[in-house]
Every structure is written in structure tokens, then in C-alpha cells.
Amino acid sequence: MRPLGIPTVLDRVVQQAIAQPIIDIYEELFSEFSYGFRPGRSCHDAIKQALEYLNEGYEWVIDIDIEQFFDKVNHDKLIQILREQVNDSTTLNLIRKYLKAGAMEKGLEKATTSGVPQGGPLSVVLSNVYLDKLDKELM
């Protein structure tokens, strides 16, 4: 699923404007073991850390790829999780509108009742917020 229309520069600027304060709030709360789409972290950093753990004697590394994750994020649950740290109803309403904006699938417009549009700066932040409790549970 792709967001409706071609993302414009303005769309990306608006997404980044919404994402930045959320990053500022959550970055210090996220698991230190989470590397995906995090500022100052990369796949190479995750591999380096995994190798360090293996050299220390750990025998297990968990690498999870959730099939069709971005398409199946529950909007209500995501907003509920965001509400725990984001106390601004205007921001939360704007995020909900972004989530429900619709998508193009096989050339046809489709309403979105779940999922996070892929490809924008806000999507990866919202996915990390959504998966943070899983990251911490795996610790």
C-alpha cells in the first residue's frame, strides 16, 4: 500500500515537523537494544553490537521482521500508545488524519483503517513507538 498521490516536498516537511517532537520525546525512552530507523544508529551498529555480545559468550541474537507490519498497525492502539507520552490533542489528531488519508492499491483509491503509510519520516517513528513495548519485553 502506498499513500495517495506522490509525496511532495511539503508533505515530507509536514511529516518531519510532526515526527521531530515525537523523536525528541521517545528517543530517550526507546530500548537501547533497538537499532531500526533510529538517529545515530545503523544496521552496521546493530551487527557490531551483536558480534560483541557473541564474543562475550551470549549465544542468541534476535532479529525480527514482522510480515506486512506497516500495513497492519492498529490506528487506535497506536494513538493510545502515543497518548501515554504525547499530551497534545492537536498533534494526535493530525497523526490520526495522516493515518486515515487513504492509499493507492492497484491503481484504485482505498480508505485506510489500519496501517502506517510507508516511505515518509513519520512512518518509521510511529513504527518504533508501536514496537517499543515488544523491544522491552524481549529484553
Side-chain angles (χ1 to χ4, degrees), residues 116-133:
V116 176
Q118 296 180 49
L122 184 55
S123 300
V124 294
V125 175
L126 295 178
S127 69
N128 278 339
V129 168
Y130 197 81
L131 291 173
D132 183 55
K133 292 178 194 271

Side-chain angles (χ1 to χ4, degrees), residues 63-115:
D63 177 30
I64 298 174
D65 183 8
I66 302 172
E67 184 177 348
Q68 297 181 338
F69 169 77
F70 282 94
D71 293 339
K72 296 186 178 183
V73 170
N74 180 297
H75 293 172
D76 292 332
K77 181 68 176 172
L78 175 58
I79 296 297
Q80 178 185 355
I81 293 167
L82 284 164
R83 194 173 284 126
E84 293 173 11
Q85 299 297 326
V86 178
N87 298 319
D88 183 59
S89 61
T90 302
T91 300
L92 294 172
N93 287 334
L94 190 55
I95 291 170
R96 186 176 290 280
K97 287 179 183 178
Y98 166 73
L99 294 171
K100 296 198 176 294
M104 291 293 286
E105 192 171 289
K106 297 180 183 174
L108 301 173
E109 184 178 332
K110 179 182 174 190
T112 48
T113 57
S114 66

Side-chain angles (χ1 to χ4, degrees), residues 26-77:
Y26 278 93
E27 191 55 35
E28 65 186 46
L29 302 174
F30 285 147
S31 166
E32 67 181 286
F33 305 108
S34 170
Y35 286 85
F37 305 109
R38 302 269 308 277
R41 292 175 176 240
S42 69
C43 293
H44 297 305
D45 294 329
I47 292 168
K48 180 181 173 188
Q49 185 63 62
L51 288 173
E52 286 179 24
Y53 286 137
L54 291 170
N55 289 333
E56 291 173 10
Y58 289 88
E59 296 179 3
W60 294 89
V61 173
I62 298 175
D63 177 30
I64 298 174
D65 183 8
I66 302 172
E67 184 177 348
Q68 297 181 338
F69 169 77
F70 282 94
D71 293 339
K72 296 186 178 183
V73 170
N74 180 297
H75 293 172
D76 292 332
K77 181 68 176 172

Side-chain angles (χ1 to χ4, degrees), residues 9-33:
V9 172
L10 180 58
D11 180 51
R12 294 182 83 61
V13 168
V14 170
Q15 285 186 51
Q16 188 62 44
I18 298 168
Q20 195 55 56
I22 294 171
I23 292 169
D24 293 343
I25 291 168
Y26 278 93
E27 191 55 35
E28 65 186 46
L29 302 174
F30 285 147
S31 166
E32 67 181 286
F33 305 108

